Amino acid sequence: MNNAISLAKAYEKYFKIGAAVSVNNIDSYRDLLIRHFNSITPENDMKYSATEPEEGKFTFDNADKVVAAARDMGIKVRAHAPVWHNQTGEWMYKDGDKPAPPELVYERIDRHTKALCERYNKDVYAWDVVNEAVIDEQAKDQIGDSDTYRFSEYFKLCREGFIEAAFRSMDKYSPDAQLFYNDYSECDPTKRARIIRLIRTLQDKGCRIDGFGMQQHYFAKPDYDELKRSIEEYAALGLRLHITELDVNLMATVEHGAQRLKPGDPGFEEYIREVMSPTPEKLAEIENIYIRLFEIYRSYSDVIDCVTTWGVADDYTWLDYFGMKKDRPRIKQYPLLFNVDRSPKACVKTLIEAAE
Ligand code: GLA
């Protein structure tokens, strides 16, 4: 493929093309990012655990490096996921030995948001303000008394008030950036109805929410009709849409669905054999899925502003480690648009040609 051809340039008239990066890889991906991408998401470096591991102890070194590298490349940042039930220190939920009252949690969110925004506002065009606050069957250990919300530490302390508090603070300190709610399994009809309920609740309270982030992690062949229905239903809320964490992998070829099998589970060995063999057919299917997905995204470019892959090239993907115990061998996955050697997959050319 002609190296001068760029995915981001080809898609300028449709939407931005983004990638998740980290402080450990952003420099090494520099050429690829400059050529093919025009949006950057820090995969982990802006989360609470990275930026405020202890109360009041701000550690912005890694986020600073990512943002500085992005600025140097002339790429704006899609900032990701401060208020989330994961990767957040226990201090958030405690008041000494006691559980923190909601007001204290809101105060902490507000102070953190202020610090983040004052530091990064110039470089950030959109925030995933709250991540994954809705309940679903995958979050079995976090099912509580709500048919909408995940029974997270935040929710136990504040009910859904923490979501509003996070959006209010972000609006106050980052008036010019777009504010998103972000979630996974967003095309599953049951979960979609819950997400819509969450968004409507915020809107009814007069909270600014500009968009919904559709994560789009695919563990099995997408249901394209549900994808289209979801885009339409979310857009009908008056929101802009970003595809925020797109990747397509082979894991669920044995067990269809997002639930991972664990060592010891019935069928685990068969599952491992299956996912360990990335046959040419399976790899080609991943590329075909990308082509079909982008066709759909393009057809909704009036509401979709950005499509971000969760990683840059197959040499590094979180999926190699997902759902596996630490002592198990890594199961290499190939879920992105660029190969392990960082060359574009054949489908990149197809995607570029389809955009012209
Ligand atoms: C979720 C989060 C991301 C990331 C992935 C796994 O989708 O939104 O920030 O942690 O899980 O990498």
Side-chain angles (χ1 to χ4, degrees):
M1 195 181 86
N2 179 349
N3 277 345
I5 295 175
S6 151
L7 204 50
K9 282 223 161 54
Y11 276 79
E12 249 164 12
K13 58 177 177 290
Y14 296 107
F15 35 71
K16 285 180 194 290
I17 303 289
V21 296
S22 80
V23 67
N24 301 321
N25 62 29
I26 190 166
D27 288 336
S28 77
Y29 284 134
R30 188 185 157 87
D31 291 347
L32 214 49
L33 290 167
I34 290 177
R35 182 167 307 143
H36 289 288
F37 296 87
N38 51 9
S39 175
I40 276 174
T41 302
E43 182 178 0
N44 292 304
D45 297 310
M46 281 189 169
K47 292 174 180 169
Y48 267 84
S49 52
T51 52
E52 195 178 353
E54 289 166 38
E55 181 161 25
K57 183 175 169 253
F58 290 105
T59 47
F60 289 125
D61 288 6
N62 290 349
D64 281 357
K65 284 182 193 147
V66 172
V67 171
R71 191 186 307 139
D72 188 58
M73 290 183 256
I75 302 180
K76 289 277 182 207
V77 174
R78 194 180 182 288
H80 173 78
V83 175
W84 187 30
H85 60 277
N86 277 332
Q87 291 178 257
T88 300
E90 282 301 307
W91 61 264
M92 174 60 85
Y93 316 116
K94 295 212 170 98
D95 183 10
D97 293 341
K98 293 200 258 353
E103 294 67 35
L104 182 57
V105 174
Y106 302 159
E107 203 180 298
R108 286 169 170 165
I109 290 177
D110 192 73
R111 204 186 43 237
H112 184 89
T113 308
K114 182 170 190 280
L116 276 180
C117 293
E118 283 176 357
R119 210 167 177 96
Y120 300 121
N121 266 350
K122 279 201 294 295
D123 301 280
V124 168
Y125 74 95
W127 282 99
D128 286 330
V129 182
V130 175
N131 198 27
E132 302 178 356
V134 164
I135 190 63
D136 63 66
E137 285 57 44
Q138 277 178 68
K140 284 203 179 67
D141 53 332
Q142 295 193 308
I143 292 178
D145 61 359
S146 167
D147 59 2
T148 303
Y149 301 100
R150 176 191 292 272
F151 210 52
S152 64
E153 293 307 310
Y154 276 122
F155 187 79
K156 284 181 212 166
L157 298 172
C158 315
R159 309 298 291 180
E160 65 268 36
F162 75 96
I163 305 171
E164 182 184 354
F167 273 89
R168 296 248 184 243
S169 290
M170 197 59 92
D171 182 34
K172 178 164 60 166
Y173 300 117
S174 200
D176 298 326
Q178 286 181 299
L179 310 188
F180 280 71
Y181 173 69
N182 190 52
D183 215 326
Y184 65 85
S185 296
E186 69 282 0
C187 298
D188 169 83
T190 310
K191 183 145 181 196
R192 183 172 65 216
R194 294 171 178 155
I195 293 173
I196 289 174
R197 214 175 300 149
L198 177 154
I199 292 168
R200 286 223 176 97
T201 305
L202 281 179
Q203 290 175 326
D204 289 347
K205 287 181 175 155
C207 234
R208 177 164 75 91
I209 169 167
D210 302 300
F212 174 55
M214 304 176 67
Q215 290 192 5
Q216 297 278 281
H217 290 291
Y218 283 108
F219 294 91
K221 199 164 179 279
D223 181 332
Y224 298 113
D225 289 334
E226 284 302 347
L227 170 61
K228 289 191 237 170
R229 205 165 295 132
S230 304
I231 293 173
E232 287 167 21
E233 289 195 17
Y234 292 126
L237 296 165
L239 298 179
R240 306 305 303 167
L241 302 181
H242 286 185
I243 307 303
T244 52
E245 306 186 19
L246 175 62
D247 48 26
V248 183
N249 72 75
L250 304 163
M251 286 192 194
T253 50
V254 170
E255 192 209 17
H256 291 272
Q259 205 66 35
R260 302 275 69 74
L261 288 185
K262 292 183 189 60
D265 287 349
F268 178 78
E269 294 308 327
E270 185 201 1
Y271 168 68
I272 293 299
R273 263 199 307 281
E274 174 81 16
V275 294
M276 289 287 267
S277 52
T279 59
E281 292 73 29
K282 281 200 237 166
L283 294 173
E285 194 187 347
I286 288 181
E287 298 203 43
N288 288 334
I289 289 172
Y290 266 110
I291 290 167
R292 181 77 186 107
L293 285 174
F294 268 71
E295 203 178 305
I296 294 174
Y297 300 152
R298 283 195 307 277
S299 72
Y300 288 101
S301 63
D302 55 331
V303 289
I304 296 178
D305 296 325
C306 184
V307 174
T308 291
T309 56
W310 205 240
V312 183
D314 286 345
D315 59 290
Y316 169 73
T317 162
W318 71 290
L319 290 163
D320 290 354
Y321 310 93
F322 182 58
M324 296 303 298
K325 283 195 174 152
K326 287 214 160 52
D327 57 353
R328 296 294 300 195
R330 187 170 74 131
I331 303 183
K332 184 74 203 114
Q333 296 294 310
Y334 305 89
L336 296 162
L337 287 169
F338 293 84
N339 290 306
V340 169
D341 68 2
R342 302 181 176 189
S343 61
K345 294 186 181 174
C347 67
V348 172
K349 185 165 181 278
T350 315
L351 294 180
I352 289 174
E353 284 167 3
E356 278 158 4

